[in-house]
Amino acid sequence: MTEQLENEVFSQDGTIADSDVEEDELVQDWSQIAKIAKSNGALTIPKRGEKDYEPDGTDVQELLLYKARKELFDTLANSVRGSTVKAQVKALYVADRHGAVVPHARGNFLQTMGKVDFSDGQVWLSFYEFVYLSERGTVTPYWGGQSVAGENNDSLLPLSIEDLYILFKTQHELDNFAVYAHLRRLGFIVNPVSPSDTSFYPNCPSAPRTGVTSIYRAITSMFFLRKNSLFNNIFYKQWHYCFCKYTRTPQIYEKLKLLVPSISVPKTIEDLKGFYGSQQDYAEGQLTLTFNVWKPQTNFKKKHPPLPDYQVVVYNKNQRGAHFPTFDELQNIFRHLDYKFQFLSEVADDEFSWDDHSYIVGKPRSDVIASERKSKDKKDPKTPAKNPSAKKSKKRQLPPHIQQLQRLRNGYSSFLLAVIDNGIISFVRISQADFASENVWYVPPKDGLRKKPFNDRKKRAN
Amino acid sequence: MVNKIRISVVVQGTDASDLVLTPLIFKLEDVERARKLGVCGILAGTLPTAAQQNMFLSVPLKLMAEEAIWLFLSGHAEVVHLRSPTSSLIGNLIKENLESLQAANESKLQESFRLQRQFKVEQHRLKLESLGRLPPGGELPHDPQIDSLIDSSLFVETANSSSILSKLSSKQQQDGCIDAQIINCMIANYSNWDNYLLYQSLRENGYVLSPGARFGGLYIAYPGDPLRYHSHITVQPAIDYYKEGIDLTLLTSGARLGTSVKKMWVIGGVKNYGTKQEELRKPKAPADVSFFSIEWAGFG
Amino acid sequence: MAKPKGKSLQQRYKYPLPIHPIDYLPSVILHNPVSWVYWAYCFWKATNIPSKRVHIEFEGGVNFPHIVVQDKDDMKYLWKNGFFGTGQLSRSEPTWLERQEGASKERSNDLALEKITERRRIQRLEFKKERVKLEKQLLDLRRNGGNIEQENALLVQEREMLRMFKQRQQEEGLGDNNSVVEESMIEGTAVDHEYVDIESLELMSVEATFLSFALPILDISPKVLLSRLFGPSNDITYGDIHKFITHYVTYHHYRSLGWCVRSGIKFGCDYLLYKRGPPFQHAEFCIMVLDHDKSKDYTWYSSISRVIGGAKKTCVLCYVERLLPEDQIVEYWRTDNFIKLFGSYRVGEVIYKRWIPGKNRD
């Protein structure tokens, strides 16, 4: 019950509101959360509630304010961070590695967080994971020393939340953490982008590109332009109508279209490969892809994750020098995208297997997973189970004009921009659009040839 | 003398080009006091008892540059700044004060355990009383099983505010000049003095201000505590209204947005008499700040 | 929406552009050579260009000229063939005269857009008055020392009353015409009980350019039109014309794809895209024109996308890039080489949409 309540938030008149939609329109009502906090708190000593403030006078408004504040601060006070002795998992921060080692790692968080360091066989948490889990109480933070070698465990000093936040090195890191924690709390799986990620592209991005192929790629990928036609010079002169007679409106549209070139957008796998290959290194101060994000899921394979569902760019709007990306900067971010390009599966008629299009160090993910499973099941070979999450949903075929509208509305490749405004996080989805690839003109039917639909007469009668 | 509110700030870089990280408040009492003074900030830490949502969060409290500066200039807060690399700062503090820190920690832990044990034993006794298995006011027999149960359920708390930093020497903590420099850096990194003047002026008129980018403005203004009121003003970044113009498209869309989210679109300005750059850095007289509001008329 | 009497929407707005295709040729009877000759003759005679050009006038000062069409038939023509222009005294379609005449005749059940807006405004005012009354009651209770329970009870009661009030308003709907406030009569417009149509159709500069340069509809050449709008071409600097060119290029781009492009001022954006036109469906997309190498403050994007999102439309950022140097462009302008001029800009689009994490978890 508490889990359900946590995911729903109550607005002032008792109706349930989505915690992310228009949260700014709702007045925060801590009374419901206060109840949850009381029932969830592992520390059972009541810390507040007995001591009372005296409200000023009998002014009802003052009283309501006093009550609201009391609920807020009581809840905060009751929500003590930490863990019971029984469940305690200690994490030791090591300054040189800017991360924490977890000597006796156990718990569900290991499914999506933490990495085993092969040199010492221990589980290490990244700094984001360390702060996030400490805030939650899943691990208790301790000072582990400057480098790994030797603080002995008994004399460990616990760290406070303040100590952890002091250890952030840059504003960038602090902002990234805010987005990390925001998404993690909602159940998403979040990891920083790194070169060793599962990729949509078979060739490693850092593979040396020979001079010739890179030039070729540059030529073919940069010139997605509509061709300017020589015909333009005639169309816009009045006299051409003397000998050019248009019998259908689309003919006129086609001629008009030729004037303004527009940038085409990758829509197929081949397009995407060319586009990806033409990426340039990020310039100094530019916004970059920071996180890979997966929707909440069980059976997340930490070592060889599937392609991320989203990729996130973090942008602190208040920081001097930070600016909303220009078009060229947006294009460069688009070129770096390497995630589950959902629009591909919508175009495909039959099942689009993402595993066949995910590559881990050049090998298809389906192969990697299968070979791992094979080595695990050496004792008792079973037929590899089909991925249970592969839904065989029959896509309802929508009429073409609706499909076109959806294509236009959703765009193609996209990324999420997480904007931080003095601590408030909002997300924007930025997608590539290509209006020039969709003609929406209507063809009026030829007079006299159009048969009125049968129902039309019935409608008139009414 | 009442202690001041403590704002912690990490400063990165050399003196010449300091970068100041977001000012933070960790102590709950300080969060409360700041709120009563009209500075609400944004809570940013996971609430452990309801960890899977983002609407209700706990400390640290993130402050806007304007909020931190206002608290400092009005004498309510001290800004504790720590120069990076902070890991070596903490490492050194721990090394120098290891024994006293450990002793303090141990005694705090044992005291907490003692109180918890006492409480739980009492709860257990009350439960037995209510079940009738113990006479009222009776003694609880010693039971090793119960003891070990209680011991394993003892709670180890992760504190919000730092005890390690309390070991900073008084010289390191209080240095007024550096504070002013930090203030200038903060403003330079995240805002500007004109916007600060708008903030100050609105605060003097009793408004509580919060970041307003998602409403198309710099701040949103509440007539009081946000817990009880809806904000009804969106404040735009300051302009020099004697010289700068307002883009009409921005005005139209701002007014339209204001109507749909039920907020007044307000733009404020500071009169710049063309004084020298250095003078512009210091806060000016409140009379130099004016506000204008624009509404979409005839919209019903 | 205003319902046209008699004809269906399809028939009334048959042609999406003011240039009509030649679709009225006689049918050819294959075995009859005379029909061939007749067909060939008709084909030779036919032309796409309309027989009469639309005349425009320039109103207002030299600095901000308004481009207006005053002839009634021309106004109707431009509106019906692609929904160009806005009536100066109406919301969009120039219906001022009809509304004035309709006001003095028998009330019909058809309501123009303007009447609907008027009615809604009145309803909102009445609702607000009601709410203020109830708020005063609440305040009085507080002042007289009512406690929290009483206040909550009163609040619940008031909310219910307001809900019922709103429901009643919606049921009344727009049917009650008698209490609709008369549109203010403009003096001097009634001459012997006949109204003089003082409304003109105003064209945006990009619309007029499209109807002069891209399609030969107006009786003015692009050269003359643009010199009226921007001054003699010899004095032009690039900065004077940059905004206009980027906006025109965008306008042309979307028009040429089949969209009906109209002003987006009421949503705080540059253009609205309609699939066939305002009478058919609401606009789907809002376009903002931006320079490809510039960036605006985040609050600009957030504010605009919020207004657009609130109207359930999609926000499209259209970036325009100049492919040739500035002085080359100015040279084209001076030599009236508009084809090369407008063809030297490239358009790229991006969709900007708020994303709610909580709604995207499955």
Side-chain angles (χ1 to χ4, degrees):
Chain A
M1 182 208 97
T2 49
E3 181 123 342
Q4 189 208 359
L5 275 177
E6 275 178 27
N7 291 331
E8 296 167 341
V9 166
F10 299 90
S11 67
Q12 199 166 30
D13 56 3
T15 56
I16 296 169
D18 190 311
S19 64
D20 285 307
V21 172
E22 313 298 13
E23 81 237 20
D24 31 53
E25 314 283 45
L26 305 168
V27 172
Q28 275 197 331
D29 181 6
W30 283 76
S31 58
Q32 305 294 340
I33 284 286
K35 290 189 195 132
I36 298 170
K38 270 216 185 94
S39 61
N40 272 356
L43 174 64
T44 49
I45 299 183
K47 277 203 153 185
R48 284 167 74 114
E50 264 75 52
K51 277 191 292 185
D52 255 335
Y53 300 84
E54 236 74 60
D56 300 314
T58 53
D59 196 4
V60 172
Q61 217 175 49
E62 268 300 311
L63 184 63
L64 287 169
L65 175 61
Y66 160 75
K67 268 190 76 180
R69 278 202 184 134
K70 188 164 185 307
E71 264 157 5
L72 161 60
F73 289 107
D74 283 355
T75 309
L76 291 183
N78 284 329
S79 301
V80 182
R81 288 170 168 141
S83 141
T84 58
V85 170
K86 190 171 54 175
Q88 190 182 32
V89 178
K90 294 186 184 176
L92 287 63
Y93 177 75
V94 175
D96 286 349
R97 300 241 331 219
H98 195 50
V101 63
V102 188
H104 311 288
R106 64 187 201 278
N108 284 338
F109 70 91
L110 291 168
Q111 280 176 4
T112 60
M113 294 190 234
K115 217 192 233 183
V116 176
D117 182 342
F118 290 114
S119 61
D120 59 10
Q122 297 202 300
V123 173
W124 282 81
L125 294 173
S126 72
F127 190 62
Y128 295 148
E129 293 168 339
F130 178 52
V131 181
Y132 175 70
L133 292 172
S134 303
E135 270 184 6
R136 270 191 86 140
T138 316
V139 305
T140 38
Y142 288 83
W143 177 258
Q146 196 65 33
S147 56
V148 190
E151 312 294 322
N152 95 50
N153 271 354
D154 290 336
S155 58
L156 282 181
L157 210 53
L159 294 171
S160 66
I161 298 294
E162 183 170 6
D163 297 321
L164 298 185
Y165 271 85
I166 297 298
L167 290 167
F168 277 102
K169 296 190 170 167
T170 61
Q171 181 63 34
H172 210 61
E173 202 182 9
L174 193 58
D175 294 335
N176 287 347
F177 175 70
V179 174
Y180 177 90
H182 186 102
L183 290 171
R184 276 274 181 197
R185 281 190 282 261
L186 293 173
F188 290 94
I189 301 166
V190 187
N191 280 322
V193 165
S194 89
S196 57
D197 288 336
T198 311
S199 171
F200 182 73
Y201 305 102
N203 305 315
C204 223
S206 52
R209 287 178 241 145
T210 61
V212 175
T213 48
S214 70
I215 293 171
Y216 174 74
R217 274 218 191 102
I219 294 173
T220 52
S221 66
M222 298 286 271
F223 284 78
F224 286 122
L225 301 180
R226 303 266 152 218
K227 290 191 286 255
N228 252 330
S229 165
L230 293 167
F231 196 82
N232 270 336
N233 287 324
I234 308 170
F235 178 74
Y236 295 97
K237 300 279 196 291
Q238 225 186 290
W239 42 260
H240 99 285
Y241 287 101
C242 292
F243 58 86
C244 242
K245 316 254 180 180
Y246 300 101
T247 51
R248 285 167 46 249
T249 310
Q251 296 166 343
I252 305 175
Y253 275 119
E254 291 285 357
K255 294 294 184 301
L256 284 170
K257 252 173 76 164
L258 297 172
L259 181 70
V260 179
S262 66
I263 294 184
S264 181
V265 142
K267 301 184 189 74
T268 66
I269 299 179
E270 282 312 308
D271 290 344
L272 285 168
K273 284 187 183 159
F275 201 58
Y276 185 75
S278 62
Q279 66 180 239
Q280 296 180 320
D281 291 330
Y282 293 111
E284 187 69 39
Q286 259 185 23
L287 296 179
T288 68
L289 289 174
T290 312
F291 290 116
N292 289 326
V293 175
W294 291 263
K295 291 185 188 174
Q297 53 190 259
T298 50
N299 298 328
F300 180 74
K301 295 194 172 26
K302 226 168 39 172
K303 263 204 302 184
H304 307 295
L307 285 176
D309 293 303
Y310 305 103
Q311 290 190 298
V312 177
V313 174
V314 177
Y315 167 50
N316 179 336
K317 79 154 278 266
N318 300 104
Q319 198 160 17
R320 179 121 315 170
H323 63 268
F324 194 90
T326 63
F327 185 63
D328 294 330
E329 289 168 356
L330 287 175
Q331 286 288 84
N332 202 26
I333 295 176
F334 283 124
R335 280 181 220 275
H336 279 87
L337 283 177
D338 192 356
Y339 75 108
K340 217 183 246 182
F341 296 97
Q342 279 95 359
F343 68 88
L344 285 177
S345 62
E346 273 147 34
V347 168
D349 292 322
D350 37 354
E351 277 301 311
F352 189 88
S353 159
W354 283 106
D355 276 346
D356 289 337
H357 292 275
S358 317
Y359 298 90
I360 299 170
V361 200
K363 285 196 284 196
R365 184 167 180 264
S366 41
D367 292 352
V368 174
I369 300 287
S371 66
E372 280 209 339
R373 201 174 280 133
K374 221 183 282 175
S375 59
K376 258 194 210 161
D377 300 344
K378 263 204 182 118
K379 283 196 180 163
D380 35 62
K382 333 177 215 176
T383 48
K386 274 251 160 162
N387 188 355
S389 61
K391 293 187 203 130
K392 284 243 174 204
S393 56
K394 272 196 182 156
K395 278 181 277 194
R396 210 164 51 95
Q397 275 299 332
L398 296 164
H401 69 278
I402 300 281
Q403 280 185 3
Q404 186 189 55
L405 189 62
Q406 284 191 342
R407 271 199 303 274
L408 286 170
R409 274 206 208 126
N410 294 328
Y412 296 92
S413 310
S414 68
F415 65 90
L416 299 178
L417 183 70
V419 185
I420 308 185
D421 172 31
N422 278 316
I424 298 184
I425 302 176
S426 333
F427 291 90
V428 179
R429 182 167 170 260
I430 305 218
S431 348
Q432 287 190 306
D434 191 354
F435 276 71
S437 63
E438 311 274 358
N439 299 323
V440 293
W441 53 69
Y442 174 78
V443 183
K446 285 200 176 153
D447 270 341
L449 289 181
R450 179 170 166 234
K451 286 207 182 107
K452 294 227 166 41
F454 187 63
N455 349 353
D456 201 34
R457 289 211 191 103
K458 272 197 185 156
K459 271 196 206 151
R460 296 256 190 92
N462 296 341
Chain B
M1 194 194 78
V2 183
N3 280 340
K4 293 197 182 180
I5 296 173
R6 203 174 107 183
I7 301 175
S8 305
V9 128
V10 172
V11 178
Q12 185 198 354
T14 62
D15 279 312
S17 62
D18 278 339
L19 288 169
V20 180
L21 274 57
T22 307
L24 301 167
I25 294 183
F26 290 92
K27 285 198 181 139
L28 277 183
E29 311 91 81
D30 288 347
V31 172
E32 232 181 305
R33 283 170 60 195
R35 198 177 189 99
K36 290 215 172 99
L37 292 166
V39 170
C40 293
I42 302 290
L43 289 167
T46 307
L47 188 70
T49 46
Q52 291 172 324
Q53 45 82 34
N54 285 301
M55 194 158 166
F56 301 100
L57 297 170
S58 179
V59 291
L61 185 76
K62 287 188 176 173
L63 296 176
M64 298 194 281
E66 292 89 336
E67 289 174 317
I69 293 172
W70 186 87
L71 283 173
F72 174 73
L73 289 179
S74 56
H76 290 114
E78 55 177 8
V79 180
V80 176
H81 63 281
L82 305 136
R83 262 187 196 282
S84 74
T86 42
S87 54
S88 43
L89 173 70
I90 293 197
N92 290 336
L93 282 173
I94 290 178
K95 222 184 277 180
E96 289 162 14
N97 301 283
L98 189 59
E99 280 183 24
S100 63
L101 281 171
Q102 279 176 343
N105 175 57
E106 190 62 25
S107 76
K108 209 172 74 167
L109 191 66
Q110 291 309 323
E111 179 62 16
S112 166
F113 282 172
R114 188 185 73 79
L115 283 172
Q116 288 183 54
R117 279 197 194 101
Q118 196 179 54
F119 181 76
K120 284 179 201 257
V121 162
E122 182 58 21
Q123 295 294 91
H124 184 64
R125 198 188 69 79
L126 285 171
K127 191 171 85 176
L128 289 182
E129 243 184 53
S130 68
L131 288 175
R133 286 164 54 184
L134 205 67
E139 274 282 319
L140 194 63
H142 179 70
D143 186 348
Q145 220 180 13
I146 298 290
D147 280 348
S148 69
L149 250 178
I150 289 179
D151 270 0
S152 64
S153 75
L154 286 174
F155 194 82
V156 179
E157 184 180 341
T158 301
N160 282 331
S161 62
S162 176
S163 46
I164 297 174
L165 290 179
S166 62
K167 296 296 179 186
L168 283 171
S169 73
S170 49
K171 183 189 177 302
Q172 282 170 310
Q173 284 214 52
Q174 283 133 29
D175 202 334
C177 299
I178 296 188
D179 274 328
Q181 192 191 337
I182 301 299
I183 299 296
N184 274 322
C185 284
M186 238 190 265
I187 276 288
N189 287 162
Y190 299 109
S191 187
N192 61 60
W193 277 116
D194 285 354
N195 286 338
Y196 178 75
L197 288 174
L198 291 190
Y199 179 86
Q200 191 181 48
S201 184
L202 287 165
R203 289 303 325 280
E204 278 161 15
N205 284 289
Y207 289 100
V208 172
L209 296 162
S210 268
R214 65 222 154 120
F215 287 106
L218 180 65
Y219 314 119
I220 46 174
Y222 298 83
D225 193 314
L227 285 175
R228 285 296 304 157
Y229 303 98
H230 285 287
S231 65
H232 57 63
I233 298 177
T234 312
V235 184
Q236 299 304 308
I239 59 167
D240 180 359
Y241 56 88
Y242 271 72
K243 294 188 197 131
E244 288 176 55
I246 304 177
D247 176 28
L248 273 180
T249 326
L250 185 70
L251 199 133
T252 329
S253 82
R256 167 89 195 221
L257 179 64
T259 314
S260 64
V261 298
K262 302 188 187 48
K263 296 191 204 307
M264 195 159 55
W265 196 86
V266 166
I267 190 158
V270 184
K271 219 190 265 185
N272 277 330
Y273 293 97
T275 46
K276 289 192 295 220
Q277 269 306 113
E278 286 77 59
E279 287 198 53
L280 288 178
R281 275 211 221 118
K282 301 217 180 80
K284 297 213 287 257
D288 290 333
V289 180
S290 304
F291 294 94
F292 307 91
S293 75
I294 298 179
E295 273 178 86
W296 189 294
F299 212 58
Chain C
M1 283 288 166
K3 288 260 184 285
K5 308 178 183 78
K7 292 182 184 173
S8 72
L9 284 179
Q10 304 279 27
Q11 286 178 298
R12 199 166 140 96
Y13 303 108
K14 188 168 159 202
Y15 297 109
L17 289 175
I19 296 278
H20 298 164
I22 300 168
D23 54 0
Y24 45 81
L25 290 174
S27 42
V28 175
I29 306 166
L30 286 168
H31 55 268
N32 183 350
V34 178
S35 78
W36 297 4
V37 175
Y38 182 57
W39 184 92
Y41 170 70
C42 288
F43 186 76
W44 175 77
K45 255 194 79 178
T47 175
N48 292 102
I49 307 184
S51 46
K52 185 178 123 0
R53 298 297 194 91
V54 167
H55 178 69
I56 58 168
E57 287 289 339
F58 292 89
E59 280 178 5
V62 171
N63 285 327
F64 303 106
H66 296 263
I67 309 165
V68 292
V69 174
Q70 283 161 341
D71 178 74
K72 195 83 171 76
D73 292 324
D74 283 348
M75 280 164 57
K76 277 216 172 82
Y77 182 73
L78 284 182
W79 178 259
K80 278 168 72 170
N81 293 288
F83 308 99
F84 290 88
T86 310
Q88 285 177 325
L89 298 173
S90 314
R91 271 178 63 128
S92 47
E93 184 178 354
T95 54
W96 180 82
L97 188 64
E98 286 160 21
R99 282 180 283 125
Q100 295 305 313
E101 287 172 350
S104 57
K105 284 191 195 153
E106 252 311 299
R107 300 251 180 249
S108 62
N109 281 328
D110 290 350
L111 276 179
L113 220 59
E114 288 76 3
K115 289 264 187 286
I116 297 175
T117 313
E118 194 91 32
R119 181 82 188 124
R120 272 202 215 124
R121 263 184 213 159
I122 293 165
Q123 279 186 336
R124 271 199 289 263
L125 271 169
E126 288 168 1
F127 182 80
K128 280 193 178 164
K129 278 193 201 134
E130 193 63 31
R131 195 172 60 192
V132 165
K133 240 195 317 183
L134 295 176
E135 271 172 11
K136 193 169 175 303
Q137 275 182 15
L138 196 64
L139 192 60
D140 285 339
L141 175 67
R142 276 217 185 135
R143 289 222 181 100
N144 297 333
N147 59 24
I148 295 183
E149 285 76 33
Q150 287 177 322
E151 208 179 283
N152 281 340
L154 183 61
L155 255 173
V156 168
Q157 192 187 29
E158 283 183 357
R159 277 200 191 115
E160 188 54 39
M161 284 173 65
L162 283 175
R163 214 172 289 159
M164 289 198 316
F165 187 86
K166 197 138 206 153
Q167 213 175 349
R168 247 185 293 130
Q169 275 188 338
Q170 279 171 355
E171 280 159 16
E172 266 174 35
L174 311 154
D176 187 4
N177 291 327
N178 291 325
S179 53
V180 170
V181 170
E182 291 283 337
E183 261 181 88
S184 48
M185 306 276 277
I186 303 179
E187 283 218 23
T189 55
V191 176
D192 294 333
H193 305 291
E194 283 250 337
Y195 288 94
V196 174
D197 192 3
I198 55 164
E199 183 174 34
S200 309
L201 184 78
E202 182 164 343
L203 295 174
M204 296 192 282
S205 54
V206 292
E207 285 177 319
T209 311
F210 185 80
L211 293 171
S212 160
F213 160 73
L215 301 174
I217 307 294
L218 300 181
D219 68 347
I220 190 172
S221 74
K223 180 171 84 166
V224 176
L225 171 70
L226 291 176
S227 59
R228 277 303 294 269
L229 293 175
F230 295 98
S233 56
N234 290 325
D235 304 332
I236 288 291
T237 61
Y238 184 73
D240 298 332
I241 52 176
H242 170 77
K243 189 167 174 212
F244 167 74
I245 297 179
T246 51
H247 279 73
Y248 178 74
V249 161
T250 312
Y251 184 87
H252 186 112
H253 171 72
Y254 290 108
R255 267 285 177 192
S256 66
L257 296 168
W259 296 96
C260 167
V261 186
R262 295 190 47 77
S263 165
I265 188 81
K266 56 183 180 221
F267 293 103
C269 61
D270 288 323
Y271 296 118
L272 294 175
L273 295 186
Y274 291 84
K275 194 140 180 241
R276 276 192 69 189
F280 291 88
Q281 293 163 318
H282 286 298
E284 265 301 327
F285 299 96
C286 297
I287 311 288
M288 289 304 301
V289 181
L290 293 167
D291 292 336
H292 89 287
D293 53 354
K294 300 255 172 47
S295 163
K296 294 202 188 235
D297 185 68
Y298 169 72
T299 38
W300 183 91
Y301 299 92
S302 148
S303 163
I304 294 202
S305 106
R306 217 167 164 155
V307 173
I308 294 175
K312 304 280 194 298
K313 301 189 198 304
T314 307
C315 174
V316 179
L317 302 177
C318 186
Y319 291 89
V320 183
E321 181 184 0
R322 180 173 41 83
L323 298 172
L324 294 176
E326 283 182 9
D327 39 9
Q328 178 77 66
I329 302 287
V330 174
E331 191 53 36
Y332 283 152
W333 184 280
R334 290 208 183 121
T335 55
D336 308 320
N337 192 344
F338 298 112
I339 300 168
K340 284 234 174 68
L341 192 151
F342 294 130
S344 310
Y345 287 78
R346 184 168 63 190
V347 159
E349 296 142 330
V350 140
I351 293 176
Y352 181 105
K353 194 166 177 205
R354 281 178 86 194
W355 188 81
I356 315 282
K359 280 192 167 165
N360 283 282
R361 279 186 275 199
D362 336 284

